[in-house]
Amino acid sequence: MGRLDRRRFLQLSGGVAAVIASGRAPAYAQQTTLHWVRWSDFVPASDTLLKGKITEECQKALGIKLQLETINANDIQARVTSAIQSGNGPDIIFALNNWPQLYSTSLADVSDVAEEIGHEQGGYYPISKQVATVGNKWIGVPWAIGGGLVAYRKSWFDEIGYHTFPDTWEKLQDAGKKLKAKGTPIGQALSHSFGDPPGFWYPWLWSWGGKEVDADGKTVALNSKATLESVERAVPFWNEACDPGGLAWDDSSNNRAFLAGTICCTNNGASIYIEAKRKPDTYQTEKGTPMYKDIRHAPLPKGPGGQYNLPGPFTDMVMQYSKNQKAAKTFLKWVHTKPVFEEWFTSQQGYTDGATRYWEKDKVWSADPVLTPFKNLPRQGRLTGYAGPPGRAAAEVQTKYIIIDMYAKAVQGMKAQDAVNWATGELKSIYSV
Amino acid sequence: MSLLSAASSRAYVVRRPRGPIGRMLEDERWLGLALLAPTIILLGLFVAYPFVKGIELAVTNTTVGQPGHFVGLQNFVALWHDDIFRMAVWNTCLYTVVATTTKLALGLWLALLLNRSFRGKAFMRAFILLPFIIPTVLSTFAWKWMFDPTFSVINYVLLHLHLITVADRINWLGEPVLAMVSVIIVNVWRGVPFFAISLLAGLQTISPELHEAAAIDGARAWARFRHVTWPLLLPVTMVIMLFSVIQTFADFQLVYVLTGGGPANTTQLFATYAYQIGIGTGLLSQGAAISLAIFPILLLVVIVQLVYIRRVETV
């Protein structure tokens, strides 16, 4: 430890006395630090950008020190609950799907910021607005929209006679059966994970005409002929065409399986293609060519009830307990300005859509035609809780994985009607509160 | 004159405490209370308070961010009708019974082996503790990779030994029975060292003379184990079983990391289901009710075991 001489002692004690007398901390200590919790992005370059360049720019532009923490998406809800109950924690938390509806009473009103961004950028997509509002109050600022398309190996589908991706479930089952016989089944999660399982099984339910509740958002309508048919059809589809390992997958399992060449297709964001393109020497086809050149994207097939997808709106929630609400709003307003957000949006390369229509015109969509289909996801999407709103009850059904487990129980041998009855009972107890 | 004799020649002087606290602590009742205070405070903060808070939550309809009001036993009634909860109760009992008895059998076997003399005995005893030392989450992630549906190293080995084909790869974590078997395997792997080392300590307290006497009387190995070793080891075994049952019954991290309670809740335990409902979904009162439902079952188990231990010790 260095020696403290008399001169230095006087300097330090004088400084402390000045701080006490003025009642203010020196300028450098007054700086606001914003703690922002986000998921670990499936496009790692975007996290690098946020933690590096954008954090530095934020410091220069706003004088706010950004402390960005990235965690596994499946752990975010636990973090939100503990933060709200202890009244302490991150200032901003990034939420997926309709999670903000579960925490609406503990979130700050950000209507001013959200309305301004929406107004300047061509308006929000309805799905972004639905999950981020309660009545007319904005409980979060929409960040972007994620969503899935089926990533598939073009050459493998060509080999079995499908030169375009199957557009009906019957055709996909047929293709999957043939490819499973060759050791490369359809890879689809049917498990407890936040993104891929609901991203496939809710559209499956809707495409057969099934729905959770009526339009009043209260009357449970799951136990229908359409739902029963969807469950009955799911069993042979799973057994004949899918990788049974999907019952234990998380959201990253299908990425790994696809890149390892063990599955022929999977419903996913663009991250598989982006990763394959980033490392063409690592991910190659059996012929030794870069795998990304053999990957295409297609929408989920249609059924008798139509063709759907489940987009995943991302929302930044400013926490009501936060003492930095003003700084948090200032930051969100700044980060959503076109030049700043564009840096992040470009780094995503098409993995996400903007929350507002402005980003449909971005140059990212013309950079790579394989990713262009992702541009239209927000317009074609439907949210959980259909035909009611994606409110609190719908969020509870989703986080309890009721719809997913209805199909999982059936493929494990439960009678289709019993599985539907079980799920209906669970929904009734949730919607009756 | 030596130092010892110098010291002993001094008169022993009793110093009376000067301050009021010092004088108060002269009284054994106050001293006892003062010595107990840190333990009482710690137990109060980390055991009693959460327990009381849990009861308070369980009889309200509190959700995350919303205080809620008293609803009596409504949450418990709802649990009674909850299929997933009933499945979690069955899973937890099965998991605890199978894992604990397997750990006891393997731990005892290992302890008997380690009680013998062989080269490298000290190293082996330290090495055996490895699964117990590694943080559970870390080791469970390694197991998760070994059981991975696509990249399982176990399947890889079986495949290359031509014992299975690509088409019938073992779906360790995706098939209900196998998923339960998998979580039990990991629990046993992790828990056996605790049993082995604790039982080994118990074995070393048994005098070799008893074995020698039995051997002279013509008792063979099995008879010596049954009539000498086992009765003397029983009190230690019961205490170890008590700890293990409590820990296994309330297990969380292992199942959370390995299966997340899946597939379709078939490995859901009390703790993982309470976490999913209370923390994941934000239904705090229902989560608390699930956690609290463990209490009467565990209490019963603990009472039975403690009564048994007392009986064994007094015989």
Side-chain angles (χ1 to χ4, degrees), chain B residues 130-195:
Chain B
L130 211 56
F132 197 60
I133 295 165
I134 302 169
T136 311
V137 172
L138 201 66
S139 56
T140 310
F141 265 112
W143 277 101
K144 191 176 181 180
W145 171 70
M146 288 196 273
F147 288 135
D148 188 283
T150 313
F151 304 104
S152 165
V153 69
I154 303 170
N155 283 355
Y156 179 85
V157 172
L158 294 175
L159 202 69
H160 283 78
L161 290 173
H162 302 290
L163 294 172
I164 58 169
T165 63
V166 178
D168 49 36
R169 276 179 311 185
I170 302 170
N171 193 6
W172 291 103
L173 303 176
E175 204 274 315
V177 176
L178 279 175
M180 183 53 89
V181 169
S182 302
V183 292
I184 289 172
I185 287 173
V186 182
N187 183 286
V188 168
W189 172 82
R190 189 175 153 69
V192 161
F194 171 70
F195 272 79

Side-chain angles (χ1 to χ4, degrees), chain A residues 74-75 77-82 84-85 102-103 105-106 183 185 190 192 243-250 253 256-257 260 262 392 395-396 399-402 405 408-409 412 422 426, chain B residues 62-66 81-84 87 144 148-151 166 169 171 173-176 256 259-266 268 273 275-284 286:
Chain A
N74 278 324
D75 295 328
Q77 284 190 286
R79 193 67 180 272
V80 178
T81 301
S82 57
I84 290 173
Q85 287 308 113
L102 284 172
Y103 315 113
T105 55
S106 306
L190 181 49
H192 289 189
D243 184 335
L247 282 159
W249 279 4
D250 60 28
S253 304
R256 290 197 301 270
T262 64
R392 188 186 169 85
E396 195 180 322
T399 52
K400 280 182 166 176
Y401 303 101
I402 309 285
D405 284 347
K409 280 171 181 283
Q412 284 169 6
W422 169 81
E426 293 289 325
Chain B
T62 308
T63 58
V64 60
Q66 292 177 313
H81 298 289
D82 181 353
D83 284 346
I84 305 175
M87 195 184 278
K144 191 176 181 180
D148 188 283
T150 313
F151 304 104
V166 178
R169 276 179 311 185
N171 193 6
L173 303 176
E175 204 274 315
Y256 179 72
T259 64
N265 298 308
T266 47
Q268 201 77 268
Y273 190 45
Y275 179 84
Q276 186 187 318
I277 297 298
I279 307 295
T281 315
L283 303 170
L284 295 172
Q286 288 183 26

Side-chain angles (χ1 to χ4, degrees), chain A residues 169 196-209 267 300-301 303 306-311 382 407:
Chain A
W169 292 119
D196 291 338
F200 182 89
W201 294 102
Y202 275 83
W204 173 278
L205 170 72
W206 299 328
S207 71
W208 293 96
N267 190 53
L300 285 169
Q307 186 173 25
Y308 301 97
N309 76 75
L310 171 67
R382 191 182 254 188
Y407 292 109

